[in-house]
């Protein structure tokens, strides 16, 4: 999306808001709250036309890339969704509202007859290749291209009503057409119709488009109608559920991290964009990556944070930048991001195809446990992320974000492994063993390099695991955030379409204060009355986390208290553990600077626990930060 942040909007980004209404209550339900939208047990993989061709999309170009996907084995590697992005539509037919396809671009759609045009011949071809087909629409009346690609010859045509190609007012009709008659498997639903058609915006002042809202303001969650946006996406979810009751579809919510979608995307979509559009530059890639890196508790099987499509093959990630291409791929793999190729594959070198196809890297991304990698170490220059795999191994990524070589020390503790036992590393790119060490190992990384390993060792916990090791088993039913704040630790890259003729690139994404693995919600080390916890969960008071409990588990144990970094120092907090809707254990209320207390309970036969931190009384000094130190399931 381009030119979307007016300077005035940028100036308004630091904000305080009232509680967001979609928060579920603190009362435990005993039922896993994530209902699931569509079907994507592992992150969706495929190819999309946008980063490769933008508005110069043609059926032939899509089919050419699809053919490369089959011929090179990328399909076998898992890249199966072939997605048409913006630019495919001609108009909504005046007589009956049926969408018409741009047949100069999609010749096979010119079927004639009562339907006029149809993308069914296209999806039939894609399906015959053993692939799946994806389409693009907008949640509002008009699309992004109509606001931002005004020179394109491929924009919708006709009267104002005919050019209203988005889903609004047509949810059921369009979804029935796309997933019924046309047989698509995947849809990306963009949000420009909600954000870019306010009365002062060029598409509207030109007199060519109907005014709407804006109900979503990028970079300003206060000015966004979160509940309204969520309800509209909910209409798409509903329409999909009725056309595809078996759940065989993917709904990709494209709201660029706006309107606090990072917190509610899983309620209405299979995956949701956490940031503005990626661009083929390293700094923009860092920005997009950062918008998911601290959101580990929001992803899991069937629900995925989406830092946007891959730029591998383009710009700073092209065939002469294989090190950067591998870094981009490794980062998307370790955070379990959807892998959508965004390059013209007919021009991609075998070396680039190998980056995309790398079997052990893809396997880390597609691991069935669906855990997003957790930051085990971070400064502004270096990061270490660790992802727990289904078989108990760890995937570990070391990332040098800078333009200079950087030294790293990887420790057993980073991987929650025993420092006295040998740890065997395997290089996921080289697909070769990379040596064994105990306790710690030194590395020197090249500028912008990311190393990716799998590690096998003895677990730090002889029995069971820390809850923070398996974020895919956790669902944030209530985050405890009362006043929306923008996440200040996302790298502030200048957007490719922006300039510096304003006050600066400000933090742009709400959700700061959400629960974190091995960190407080405000990115501090966990600590209760000076007792430090390297492992645990940080959250705000008045939060409720659901945790799936594997069969055979016996106990939940944690040391709990108000964290030393709390902003609110006066209110007391009690900690409760509920199992399948029954209260299992609780602490008396405690305040800042009181010692951590042990909370321990029998879990035999329990399938779901809910961890509740309940605040007693208001705290005028600020949000109360709590720590579930060493929270573990044994
Ligand atoms: C928005 C989206 C992009 C792409 C374009 C198409 O900017 O975020 O991913 O779909 O629209 O116009």
């Amino acid at each position: 999306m381009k030119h979307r942040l007016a300077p005035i909007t940028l100036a308004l980004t630091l904000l305080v808001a009232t509680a967001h209404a979609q928060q579920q209550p603190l009362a435990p339900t005993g039922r896993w709250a994530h209902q699931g939208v569509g079907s994507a047990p592992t992150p969706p993989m495929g190819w999309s036309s946008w980063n490769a061709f933008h508005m110069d999309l043609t059926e032939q170009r899509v089919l050419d890339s699809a053919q490369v996907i089959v011929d090179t084995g990328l399909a076998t590697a898992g890249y199966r969704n072939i997605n048409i992005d913006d630019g495919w539509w001609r108009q909504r037919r005046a007589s009956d509202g049926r969408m018409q396809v741009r047949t100069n671009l999609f010749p096979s759609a010119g079927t004639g007859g009562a339907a006029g045009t149809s993308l069914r011949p296209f999806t039939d071809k894609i399906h015959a290749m053993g692939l799946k087909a994806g389409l693009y629409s907008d949640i509002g009346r008009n699309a992004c291209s109509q606001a931002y690609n005004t020179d394109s010859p491929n924009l919708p045509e006709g009267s104002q009503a005919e050019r209203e190609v988005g889903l609004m007012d047509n949810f059921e009709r369009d979804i029935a057409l796309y997933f019924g008659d046309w047989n698509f498997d995947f849809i990306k639903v963009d949000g420009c119709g909600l954000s870019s058609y306010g009365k002062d915006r060029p598409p509207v002042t030109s007199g060519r488009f109907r005014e709407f809202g804006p109900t979503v303001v990028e970079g300003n969650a206060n000015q966004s109608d979160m509940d309204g946006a969520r309800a509209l996406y909910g209409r798409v979810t509903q329409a999909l559920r009725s056309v595809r009751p078996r759940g065989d579809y993917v709904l990709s919510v494209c709201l660029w991290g706006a309107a606090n979608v990072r917190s509610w995307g899983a309620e209405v979509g299979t995956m949701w964009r956490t940031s503005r559009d990626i661009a083929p530059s390293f700094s923009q890639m860092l920005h997009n990556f950062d918008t998911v890196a601290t959101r580990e508790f929001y992803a899991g099987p069937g629900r995925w944070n989406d830092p946007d499509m891959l730029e591998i093959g383009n710009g700073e990630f092209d065939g002469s930048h294989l090190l950067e291409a591998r870094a981009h791929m490794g980062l998307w793999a370790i955070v379990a991001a959807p892998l959508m190729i965004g390059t013209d594959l007919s021009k991609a070198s075998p070396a680039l195809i190998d980056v995309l196809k790398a079997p052990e890297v893809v396997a880390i991304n597609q691991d069935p446990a669906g855990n997003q990698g957790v930051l085990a170490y971070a400064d502004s220059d270096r990061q270490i992320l660790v992802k727990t795999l289904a078989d108990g191994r760890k995937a570990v990524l070391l990332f040098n974000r800078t333009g200079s070589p950087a030294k790293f020390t990887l420790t057993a503790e980073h991987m929650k492994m025993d420092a006295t036992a040998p740890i065997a590393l395997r290089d996921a790119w080289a697909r070769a063993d990379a040596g064994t060490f105990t306790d710690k190992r030194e590395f020197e990384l090249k500028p912008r390099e990311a190393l990716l390993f799998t590690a096998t060792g003895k677990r730090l916990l002889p029995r069971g695991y820390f809850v923070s090791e398996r974020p895919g088993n956790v669902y944030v039913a209530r985050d405890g955030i009362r006043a929306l704040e923008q996440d200040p630790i996302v790298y502030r890259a200048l957007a490719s379409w922006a300039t510096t003729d304003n006050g600066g690139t400000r933090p742009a994404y709400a959700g700061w204060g959400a629960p974190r693995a091995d960190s407080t919600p405000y990115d501090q080390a966990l600590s209760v009355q000076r007792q430090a916890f390297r492992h645990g969960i940080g959250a705000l008071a008045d939060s409720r986390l659901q945790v799936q409990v594997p069969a055979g588990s016996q106990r939940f144990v944690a040391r709990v208290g108000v964290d030393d970094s709390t902003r609110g120092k006066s209110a007391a907090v009690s900690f409760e553990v509920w199992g399948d809707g029954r209260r299992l254990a609780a602490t008396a209320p405690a305040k800042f600077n009181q010692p951590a207390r042990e909370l321990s309970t029998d879990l035999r036969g329990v399938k779901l626990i809910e961890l509740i931190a309940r605040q007693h009384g208001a705290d005028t000094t600020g949000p109360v930060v709590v720590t579930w130190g060493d929270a573990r399931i044994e």
Side-chain angles (χ1 to χ4, degrees):
M1 191 174 35
K2 287 148 230 74
H3 312 301
R4 215 158 270 152
L5 290 176
I8 183 81
T9 319
L10 283 172
L12 289 173
T13 47
L14 285 173
L15 45 95
V16 178
T18 50
H20 49 123
Q22 76 264 21
Q23 280 279 308
Q24 300 181 41
L26 209 50
T29 62
R31 272 176 297 105
W32 182 240
H34 180 237
Q35 300 202 341
V37 178
S39 172
T42 61
M45 295 173 69
W47 178 92
S48 161
S49 60
W50 185 253
N51 289 348
F53 300 117
H54 297 97
M55 291 294 285
D56 297 321
L57 158 74
T58 66
E59 181 172 20
Q60 198 51 52
R61 288 178 148 173
V62 178
L63 291 173
D64 287 349
S65 277
Q67 194 60 52
V68 176
I69 283 197
V70 172
D71 295 346
T72 57
L74 282 167
T76 316
Y79 296 91
R80 294 230 168 73
N81 294 287
I82 305 297
N83 296 350
I84 303 173
D85 208 281
D86 206 345
W88 62 271
W89 30 31
R90 184 185 296 285
Q91 60 184 216
R92 187 178 292 286
R93 191 158 68 186
S95 57
D96 59 358
R98 188 182 176 94
M99 193 64 63
Q100 299 296 309
V101 184
R102 187 167 268 291
T103 50
N104 60 323
L105 303 182
F106 281 83
S108 80
T111 51
T117 60
S118 169
L119 281 172
R120 184 63 183 246
F122 169 77
T123 62
D124 283 347
K125 266 187 234 166
I126 294 290
H127 289 147
M129 296 167 86
L131 302 169
K132 294 181 171 193
L135 194 61
Y136 171 90
S137 191
D138 196 284
I139 192 76
R141 295 198 176 93
N142 293 103
C144 295
S145 55
Q146 292 173 299
Y148 302 108
N149 299 83
T150 48
D151 294 338
S152 171
N154 299 330
L155 292 171
E157 295 168 359
S159 68
Q160 181 176 291
E162 287 167 325
R163 284 182 282 109
E164 290 186 345
V165 292
L167 295 175
M168 187 169 284
D169 312 327
N170 292 279
F171 292 106
E172 290 75 22
R173 183 208 316 275
D174 285 0
I175 295 298
L177 178 64
Y178 303 162
F179 284 81
D181 298 17
W182 291 358
N183 208 16
F184 277 94
D185 309 289
F186 184 116
I187 189 162
K188 168 174 164 184
V189 179
D190 219 327
C192 289
L194 306 186
S195 67
S196 305
Y197 294 86
K199 72 171 183 312
D200 303 329
R201 302 298 284 268
V204 176
T205 52
S206 72
R208 300 199 66 235
F209 294 93
R210 201 165 10 149
E211 176 187 341
F212 184 85
T215 59
V216 168
V217 179
E218 253 196 293
N220 193 330
N222 273 358
Q223 290 294 332
S224 299
D225 174 8
M226 292 177 282
D227 294 337
R230 196 177 53 138
L232 288 170
Y233 277 101
R235 294 280 303 274
V236 185
T237 318
Q238 238 180 337
L240 279 162
R241 282 183 176 144
S242 82
V243 179
R244 288 287 175 89
R246 295 209 326 253
D248 49 340
Y249 59 89
V250 168
L251 170 53
S252 163
V253 172
C254 182
L255 210 53
W256 338 286
N260 202 18
V261 65
R262 300 195 306 165
S263 300
W264 52 262
E267 294 175 35
V268 294
T270 327
M271 53 193 264
W272 52 94
R273 282 274 300 279
T274 53
S275 61
R276 68 186 189 211
D277 290 7
I278 198 168
S281 86
F282 201 77
S283 66
Q284 180 62 40
M285 189 275 291
L286 290 178
H287 170 96
N288 283 42
F289 171 71
D290 286 353
T291 63
V292 306
T294 57
R295 307 291 295 177
E296 60 273 0
F297 283 141
Y298 289 83
R303 52 191 175 112
W304 308 105
N305 290 313
D306 176 14
D308 204 358
M309 302 168 286
L310 298 168
E311 288 283 11
I312 292 167
N314 309 331
E316 291 187 52
F317 308 99
D318 69 7
S320 51
H321 295 87
L322 287 175
L323 180 138
E324 284 85 352
R326 272 190 222 105
H328 182 0
M329 182 74 188
L331 288 164
W332 264 234
I334 199 88
V335 294
L339 298 177
M340 294 295 166
I341 300 169
T343 197
D344 179 354
L345 284 174
S346 67
K347 301 209 171 80
S349 65
L352 275 170
I353 304 273
D354 286 346
V355 171
L356 293 163
K357 213 166 66 175
E360 296 189 13
V361 178
V362 171
I364 288 169
N365 173 268
Q366 293 290 301
D367 182 77
N371 292 312
Q372 181 173 317
V374 172
L375 282 164
Y377 175 86
D379 60 41
S380 295
D381 296 339
R382 302 166 183 81
Q383 291 170 321
I384 299 175
L385 288 106
V386 177
K387 181 184 201 286
T388 303
L389 303 177
D391 62 7
R393 280 177 310 148
K394 302 285 183 176
V396 54
L397 177 129
L398 277 52
F399 179 37
N400 175 10
R401 297 163 67 102
T402 75
S404 319
K407 291 195 160 57
F408 283 70
T409 307
L410 175 68
T411 69
E413 189 165 39
H414 285 142
M415 298 180 282
K416 304 197 194 303
M417 287 180 184
D418 184 333
T420 64
I423 296 171
L425 291 182
R426 182 173 168 84
D427 184 323
W429 289 107
R431 296 157 70 190
D433 291 342
T436 298
F437 69 99
T438 46
D439 189 19
K440 51 182 69 170
R441 176 161 162 189
E442 311 291 330
F443 294 86
E444 178 156 325
L445 270 67
K446 300 188 185 92
R448 296 181 162 180
E449 189 175 28
L451 300 179
L452 185 58
F453 301 103
T454 50
T456 314
K458 187 174 163 210
R459 305 175 50 72
L460 196 55
L461 285 181
R463 234 195 97 72
Y465 59 93
F466 294 107
V467 176
S468 59
E469 287 182 82
R470 299 198 191 172
N473 286 3
V474 177
Y475 188 81
V476 181
R478 183 161 160 174
D479 60 20
I481 296 173
R482 293 173 191 217
L484 290 182
E485 287 179 79
Q486 311 290 48
D487 183 341
I489 61 173
V490 171
Y491 181 68
R492 296 194 245 167
L494 178 69
S496 54
W497 57 86
T499 58
T500 61
D501 58 354
N502 55 63
T505 296
R506 301 294 210 307
Y509 307 106
W512 182 236
R516 292 283 312 280
D518 303 335
S519 162
T520 75
Y522 301 127
D523 208 40
Q524 298 295 305
L526 299 173
S527 161
V528 178
Q529 206 195 37
R530 293 186 300 283
Q531 181 182 358
F533 295 98
R534 278 292 295 275
H535 319 285
I537 301 170
L540 295 183
D542 282 346
S543 56
R544 177 166 63 95
L545 305 181
Q546 299 194 318
V547 185
Q548 289 164 323
V549 178
S553 302
Q554 307 214 336
R555 292 201 77 68
F556 170 82
V557 186
R559 291 189 67 80
V560 296
V562 172
D563 192 89
D564 291 341
S565 69
T566 188
R567 297 190 195 172
K569 292 192 197 162
S570 62
V573 178
S574 58
F575 295 80
E576 302 165 18
V577 183
W578 293 67
D580 298 332
R582 283 181 305 119
R583 192 164 121 147
L584 301 179
T587 66
K591 291 187 178 176
F592 168 65
N593 219 17
Q594 295 186 336
R597 272 154 320 154
E598 173 134 324
L599 188 56
S600 165
T601 181
D602 194 329
L603 284 187
R604 275 172 296 178
V606 172
K607 294 194 176 63
L608 179 83
I609 54 173
E610 290 172 85
L611 306 180
I612 298 171
R614 192 183 298 275
Q615 181 170 329
H616 300 273
D619 192 321
T620 49
T621 49
V624 181
V625 176
V626 303
T627 283
W628 298 80
D630 286 341
R632 58 192 185 275
I633 291 177
E634 300 183 329

